[in-house]
């Protein structure tokens, strides 16, 4: 999927924000998650990290 640079930057910022939120949620000691919630959050976090990585790869490929 081709994106413009502004779209990529927007995606990147939104994913970073969601990534931070999930990371904080997973590490919050005040409100522990159930095992199911933890698994879902972990999977979601990994998918967002993959999206960031894929975005970086696409950008690198276009530069070459």
């Amino acid at each position: 999927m081709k994106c413009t640079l502004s779209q990529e930057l927007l995606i990147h910022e939104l994913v970073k924000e969601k990534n931070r939120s999930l990371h904080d949620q997973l590490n919050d000691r005040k409100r522990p998650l159930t095992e199911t919630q933890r698994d879902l959050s972990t999977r979601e976090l990994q998918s967002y990290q993959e999206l960031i990585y894929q975005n970086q790869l696409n950008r690198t490929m276009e530069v070459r």
Side-chain angles (χ1 to χ4, degrees), residues 32-43:
L33 299 174
T34 65
E35 194 63 35
T36 306
Q37 288 173 320
R38 189 167 182 76
D39 287 345
L40 288 172
S41 293
T42 302
R43 270 190 243 127

Side-chain angles (χ1 to χ4, degrees), residues 22-56:
L22 281 168
H23 192 270
D24 291 344
Q25 181 184 16
L26 284 168
N27 294 313
D28 188 6
R29 300 287 184 216
K30 294 177 187 169
R31 293 183 312 172
L33 299 174
T34 65
E35 194 63 35
T36 306
Q37 288 173 320
R38 189 167 182 76
D39 287 345
L40 288 172
S41 293
T42 302
R43 270 190 243 127
E44 191 176 1
L45 180 62
Q46 287 173 344
S47 71
Y48 282 120
Q49 288 172 337
E50 293 227 351
L51 182 61
I52 289 175
Y53 178 70
Q54 195 64 40
N55 215 358
Q56 289 172 344

Side-chain angles (χ1 to χ4, degrees), residues 1-2 6 11 18 20 24 28 31 35 44-45 63:
M1 173 172 107
K2 288 269 185 181
S6 61
I11 290 169
K18 183 66 174 174
R20 268 189 233 110
D24 291 344
D28 188 6
R31 293 183 312 172
E35 194 63 35
E44 191 176 1
L45 180 62
V63 170

Side-chain angles (χ1 to χ4, degrees), residues 2-18:
K2 288 269 185 181
C3 296
T4 65
L5 182 58
S6 61
Q7 289 172 327
E8 277 190 40
L9 292 174
L10 178 62
I11 290 169
H12 187 72
E13 288 305 311
L14 292 172
V15 168
K16 276 178 33 180
E17 187 179 310
K18 183 66 174 174

